[in-house]
Amino acid sequence: MSGTRRGLLIILSSPSGAGKSTLARRLRDWDPDIVFSISATTRAPRPGEVDGREYHFSDEATFKQMVDDGEMLEHAFVFGNFYGSPRKPVEKAFESGQDVLFDIDWQGAQQIANSTLDTHTLSIFLLPPSIAALKSRLEARGQDDAATIARRMEKSWDEISHWDSYDYVLVNDDLDTTEAQLKTIITATRLRRKQQPDLVEHVRGLQAEFKDLT
Ligand code: ADP
Ligand code: 5GP
């Protein structure tokens, strides 16, 4: 059977520094059919971030206009800034059978879970092996100053406290192990009946063949 597949909305959430971006990049390298949802944000770009690659950087008025115009699939206020997932690119990729990967917080995950796209959503939460490890990862990443790291650490419990509303929860201790686990979860979820609309046609064919036999 040459089946077309219905895309998945893969949501990765975790406290900041637990490894979402690193693992998302590995997943994209593994399968180019996984495309990133590039969020819009009102936060300033970090050194090395490119507009349209990591984020669509936007001022607050433009962001709010997009929300008012219904252009955001979900949006939230995180660490003092607005973040949101533009709807159009997501729908386009999803309809063409590609999986869309979201690096978003629990508020965004909840909004997507409450939308009509819920049946095609796979949500995964990453926990750090310890809070000490989370802190040293944020420091090792070298992207934020001490005050920003402290603020992210303060907020980490708020994010972790929503761990139990996700389909899967992984402790990201060894990176290669977590990567393998993510690939297993995605591979299995792609085989869910509802991701394979062509199965109906295939079974009809089997039925016709069966009737010819009897
Ligand atoms: P997030 O996107 O969740 O904020 P990152 O992917 O930027 O987190 O990871 C934060 C830092 O931790 C990065 O420097 C990354 O290389 C490192 N890291 C991620 N996963 C692991 C792991 N399993 N073990 C050790 N370091 C990790
Ligand atoms: P950062 O500023 O470190 O890039 O992201 C901060 C937090 O915002 C992370 O927890 C990230 O998952 C979340 N985030 C990024 N984009 C979006 C988005 O479009 N929607 C929501 N709800 N959260 C987002």
Side-chain angles (χ1 to χ4, degrees):
M1 192 189 72
S2 65
T4 49
R5 190 166 71 73
R6 194 163 278 158
L8 280 176
L9 270 58
I10 304 167
I11 299 177
L12 266 189
S13 300
S14 78
S16 187
K20 287 179 302 288
S21 328
T22 308
L23 285 157
R25 279 194 296 271
R26 287 186 176 208
L27 290 176
R28 190 177 52 182
D29 292 347
W30 167 61
D31 186 346
D33 262 344
I34 298 179
V35 297
F36 285 4
S37 166
I38 302 170
S39 299
T41 182
T42 59
R43 97 153 152 70
R46 294 190 190 118
E49 285 184 334
V50 175
D51 187 34
R53 190 179 66 188
E54 282 80 14
Y55 283 104
H56 299 291
F57 295 100
S58 152
D59 58 64
E60 207 166 306
T62 311
F63 188 97
K64 286 185 169 161
Q65 192 60 53
M66 284 180 78
V67 173
D68 289 348
D69 293 344
E71 287 177 29
M72 294 294 192
L73 191 60
E74 60 74 33
H75 68 281
F77 193 65
V78 191
F79 301 128
N81 288 294
F82 290 101
Y83 293 82
S85 312
R87 183 187 299 277
K88 269 210 193 96
V90 172
E91 288 176 348
K92 194 168 155 240
F94 172 71
E95 278 158 19
S96 64
Q98 289 181 306
D99 302 319
V100 185
L101 197 148
F102 297 80
D103 169 344
I104 59 177
D105 82 331
W106 68 272
Q107 304 175 81
Q110 218 159 66
Q111 288 171 46
I112 294 178
N114 292 331
S115 79
T116 52
L117 291 168
D118 177 45
T119 49
H120 300 295
T121 297
L122 164 64
S123 66
I124 303 156
F125 195 90
L126 300 175
L127 286 170
S130 66
I131 298 299
L134 186 66
K135 186 158 184 273
S136 51
R137 283 182 196 175
L138 278 175
E139 288 164 352
R141 188 167 70 180
Q143 279 179 342
D144 300 307
D145 56 34
T148 309
I149 290 178
R151 207 151 43 92
R152 286 176 186 273
M153 286 303 294
E154 263 172 43
K155 286 274 176 195
S156 65
W157 187 254
D158 187 29
E159 189 70 26
I160 292 173
S161 69
H162 296 279
W163 69 280
D164 60 351
S165 57
Y166 286 73
D167 297 326
Y168 291 88
V169 180
L170 304 176
V171 178
N172 179 25
D173 191 353
D174 176 69
L175 197 51
D176 291 340
T177 305
T178 313
E179 180 185 352
Q181 289 170 335
L182 281 170
K183 290 176 181 172
T184 302
I185 293 167
I186 292 169
T187 303
T189 309
R190 284 172 170 174
L191 292 170
R192 284 196 305 208
R193 179 166 46 84
K194 56 194 169 188
Q195 306 312 130
Q196 302 188 73
D198 286 2
L199 277 181
V200 175
E201 197 58 33
H202 182 70
V203 173
R204 271 200 204 111
L206 293 178
Q207 192 181 26
E209 204 183 333
F210 188 74
K211 277 188 187 144
D212 286 346
L213 270 183
T214 55

